[in-house]
């Protein structure tokens, strides 16, 4: 199963012009914990997918609503000459394809 | 027992619209004030840099024209935050102009407080000397950028708005300010708990985005009590649930358990969300940990040239397969012909929709080529004229560029439009997105608009 299959909400958006945040919401505690504890679901692995350094990747679980937030640096700031996604709203891939 | 406060957040962003039913329902009970946030950095740096609004004038006018007679009739203030989208002087002036037009059309007049947040270059020079700290992932500030910043602004918090409220303003047109300041100022002024007031404000600033179905284009009613607050959408088609409100803490935030404002850190880890009805949620337990050192967030954009683009589609399988060769051929042909611009001063970009335009190098293109590919070619150059000429060259070269196995020798591209090229205007990037520890004074100017 991929992250995109496990989560019922899988979305990305700017958190300011220099960061993107990916929200993964799960319908059951089982799925939430399954993804969080997966050997693939680490800052290192996600950093590799997005070509950023692992110390700039944060994984923040929010158990109250069975949600995991991933914060990543943007490769170029929102709307700058090299940017391809001003709102950052389609950057939940490649994370969505990560196998759990 | 403190008299509770009831306020209306008109919509998630001034100009996004709201249902007249929401307004009618919200007005059935007493209201202490109406607020609406108008600002966002989401649409990118162009709007701050150019001084233009990302919401059109007619949209803003519609939203204001509906509410102004009601706040006049009830004698309650309307607070507009980050007026005009980015809150710099040209944005603020544009909103004042719209209010003036509505006042003339509806025979209204308002004592209006205007709070500008523009930063003089002298201040920035001082700040650039060791008083600017990266924030939200921004890089270190390069002092040589100081003179190049367009419309640099500072985000103020609740204090200047409270001053405007004390001055008896009927409308407060705030320049760039924190989203929370729009809704937290009045409750804090009236002595309500700042942690609760700021958390309520954080939810309110997005309108009915915390409701289901979500709606940045609709209103939200907040009631402040001594130890809790409630949120409820006035539109009966929407409802707030404990989960929908709790989930809103995630939205566009790096941390769901806290957020930071000039007043300090708002800790949500002890927060509870309780359903009071099927549509109304009670929130308690949010606390403010006051900032040890007051810092202010600064924003500014820098111009990075002018853009021109062309849009085309490809269907020929061989052309799609050899797109990289086509691109390389176009690049070298443009470099040869573009004698009107220095080689290091322009850039060309090929966005291959259907292949890798959206996630770029983060994902390897699929092995099988798609049946159709959308191509956007972009040129950025020091002047619009140069960018337009570059895209003219690139477009004609791309149309006729040869490549191996070429069968469609009449042309490689399907242009959907004539003219095929579009001038995109100035390009900006955020280069000031930093905190400063220097004190900044925000003046409140009072005037009558009629």
């Amino acid at each position: 199963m991929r992250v995109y299959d496990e989560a019922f909400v899988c979305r990305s958006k700017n958190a300011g012009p220099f960061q993107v945040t990916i929200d993964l919401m799960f319908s059951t505690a089982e799925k939430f914990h399954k993804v969080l504890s997966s050997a693939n679901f680490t800052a290192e692995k996600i950093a590799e997918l997005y070509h950023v350094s692992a110390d700039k990747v944060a994984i923040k679980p929010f158990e109250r609503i069975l949600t995991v937030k991933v914060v990543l640096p943007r490769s170029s700031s929102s709307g700058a000459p090299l940017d391809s996604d001003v709102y950052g709203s389609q950057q939940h891939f490649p994370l969505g394809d990560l196998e759990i | 027992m403190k008299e509770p406060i009831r306020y209306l957040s008109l919509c998630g962003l001034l100009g996004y619209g709201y249902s007249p039913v929401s307004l009618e329902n919200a007005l059935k009970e007493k209201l202490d004030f109406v607020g609406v946030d108008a600002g966002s950095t989401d649409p990118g740096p162009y709007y701050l840099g150019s001084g233009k609004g990302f919401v059109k004038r007619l949209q803003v006018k519609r939203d204001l024209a509906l509410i102004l007679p009601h706040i006049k009739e009830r004698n309650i203030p309307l607070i507009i935050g980050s007026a005009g989208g980015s809150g710099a002087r040209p944005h603020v002036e544009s909103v004042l102009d719209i209010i003036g037009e509505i006042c003339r059309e509806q025979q209204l007049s308002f004592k209006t407080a205007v709070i500008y947040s523009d930063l003089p270059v002298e201040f920035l020079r001082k700040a650039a000397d060791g008083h600017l700290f990266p924030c939200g992932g921004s890089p270190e500030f390069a002092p040589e950028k100081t003179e190049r910043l367009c419309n640099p602004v500072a985000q103020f918090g609740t204090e200047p708005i409270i001053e405007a409220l004390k001055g008896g303003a009927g409308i407060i047109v705030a320049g760039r300010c924190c989203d929370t300041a729009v809704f937290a100022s009045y409750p804090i002024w009236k002595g309500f708990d700042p942690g609760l007031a700021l958390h309520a404000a954080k939810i309110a600033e997005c309108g009915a985005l915390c409701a289901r179905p979500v709606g940045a284009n609709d209103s939200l009613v907040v009631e402040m009590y001594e130890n809790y607050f409630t949120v409820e959408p006035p539109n009966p088609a929407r409802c707030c649930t404990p989960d929908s409100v709790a989930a809103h803490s995630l939205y566009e935030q790096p941390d769901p358990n806290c957020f930071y404002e000039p007043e300090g850190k708002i800790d949500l880890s002890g927060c509870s969300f309780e359903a009071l009805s099927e549509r109304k949620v009670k929130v308690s337990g949010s606390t403010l940990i006051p900032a040890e050192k007051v810092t202010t967030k600064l924003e500014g954009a820098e111009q990075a040239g002018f853009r021109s683009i062309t849009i085309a589609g490809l269907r020929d399988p061989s052309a799609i397969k050899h797109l990289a060769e086509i691109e390389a051929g176009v690049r070298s042909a443009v470099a040869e012909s573009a004698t009107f611009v220095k080689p290091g001063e322009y850039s060309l970009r090929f966005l291959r929709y259907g292949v890798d335009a959206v996630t770029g190098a983060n994902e390897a293109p699929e092995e099988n080529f798609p049946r159709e590919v959308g191509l956007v070619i972009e040129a950025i150059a020091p002047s619009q004229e140069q960018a337009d000429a570059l895209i003219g060259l690139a477009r004609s070269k791309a149309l006729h560029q040869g490549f191996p196995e070429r069968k469609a020798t009449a042309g490689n591209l399907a242009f959907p439009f004539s003219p095929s090229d579009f001038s995109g205007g100035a390009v900006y990037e955020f280069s000031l997105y930093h905190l400063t520890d220097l004190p900044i004074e925000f003046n409140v100017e009072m005037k009558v608009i009629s």
Side-chain angles (χ1 to χ4, degrees), chain B residues 123-208:
Chain B
F123 173 88
L124 288 162
R125 282 188 201 124
K126 208 169 132 194
D129 187 18
H131 295 279
L132 289 178
F133 313 101
C135 118
S138 65
E140 288 288 339
F141 185 76
E144 68 269 18
K145 292 186 170 179
T146 308
E147 317 287 324
R148 300 206 292 267
L149 290 170
C150 306
N151 290 321
V153 288
Q155 274 193 339
F156 54 81
T158 49
E159 276 178 31
I161 296 180
I162 291 176
E163 195 189 320
L165 287 167
K166 282 181 183 165
I171 300 180
I172 299 171
V173 180
R176 187 58 173 147
C177 68
C178 300
D179 302 346
T180 52
V182 178
F183 301 97
S185 298
Y186 191 100
I188 289 175
W189 174 42
K190 294 292 177 185
F192 282 80
D193 180 88
L196 286 171
L198 286 160
H199 187 198
K202 187 85 194 163
I203 297 169
E205 65 100 352
C206 291

Side-chain angles (χ1 to χ4, degrees), chain B residues 181-308:
Chain B
V182 178
F183 301 97
S185 298
Y186 191 100
I188 289 175
W189 174 42
K190 294 292 177 185
F192 282 80
D193 180 88
L196 286 171
L198 286 160
H199 187 198
K202 187 85 194 163
I203 297 169
E205 65 100 352
C206 291
L209 204 63
C210 68
R212 295 292 178 271
V214 295
N217 55 344
D218 211 348
S219 320
L220 189 76
V221 168
V222 176
E223 290 169 21
M224 295 290 319
Y225 297 86
E226 276 198 64
N227 302 314
Y228 65 94
F229 63 89
T230 67
V231 293
E232 183 184 23
N235 187 337
R238 302 181 199 279
C239 54
C240 281
T241 68
D243 280 358
S244 77
V245 179
H248 185 261
S249 316
L250 289 169
Y251 190 68
E252 294 177 352
Q253 285 295 315
D255 194 330
N257 287 311
C258 67
F259 61 92
Y260 295 87
E261 297 296 323
E263 294 79 10
K265 172 181 169 177
I266 294 87
D267 185 359
L268 307 179
S269 55
C271 220
S272 70
F273 303 86
E274 192 187 318
L276 288 188
S277 76
E278 281 180 357
R279 304 182 51 253
K280 189 173 187 175
V281 172
K282 171 182 169 179
V283 184
S284 58
S286 358
T287 54
L288 172 69
I289 302 162
E292 281 174 26
K293 200 170 185 182
V294 175
T295 55
T296 310
K297 188 154 119 190
L298 312 182
E299 291 171 355
E302 179 188 355
Q303 211 191 306
F306 290 83
R307 172 182 287 126
S308 191

Side-chain angles (χ1 to χ4, degrees), chain A residues 13-14 16-19 25 49-51 60 62 64-65 67 69 71 78-79 81-84 86-87 91 93-94, chain B residues 42-43 45 136-139 243 247 250-257 349 357-359 361-363 380 428-430 433:
Chain A
K13 190 83 192 276
N14 292 345
F18 293 89
Q19 287 175 323
M25 300 184 174
L49 288 177
Y50 285 87
H51 301 92
K60 299 179 181 186
F62 192 31
R64 164 81 182 70
I65 48 165
T67 295
K69 192 177 247 311
V71 184
S78 164
L82 290 173
D83 188 26
S84 61
V86 172
Y87 288 70
Q91 300 309 308
F93 281 92
Chain B
D42 266 346
S138 65
D243 280 358
L250 289 169
Y251 190 68
E252 294 177 352
Q253 285 295 315
D255 194 330
N257 287 311
R349 181 161 67 148
V358 178
T359 56
N362 286 343
E363 290 185 293
I380 297 178
Y428 294 86
E429 64 182 303
F430 283 112
Y433 194 76

Side-chain angles (χ1 to χ4, degrees), chain A residues 30-51:
Chain A
E30 193 194 340
K31 288 180 180 177
F32 170 82
H33 290 294
K34 183 177 158 191
V35 169
L36 256 190
S37 60
S38 159
N40 260 346
F41 199 82
T42 62
E44 288 70 25
K45 182 74 193 170
I46 296 169
E48 210 175 285
L49 288 177
Y50 285 87
H51 301 92

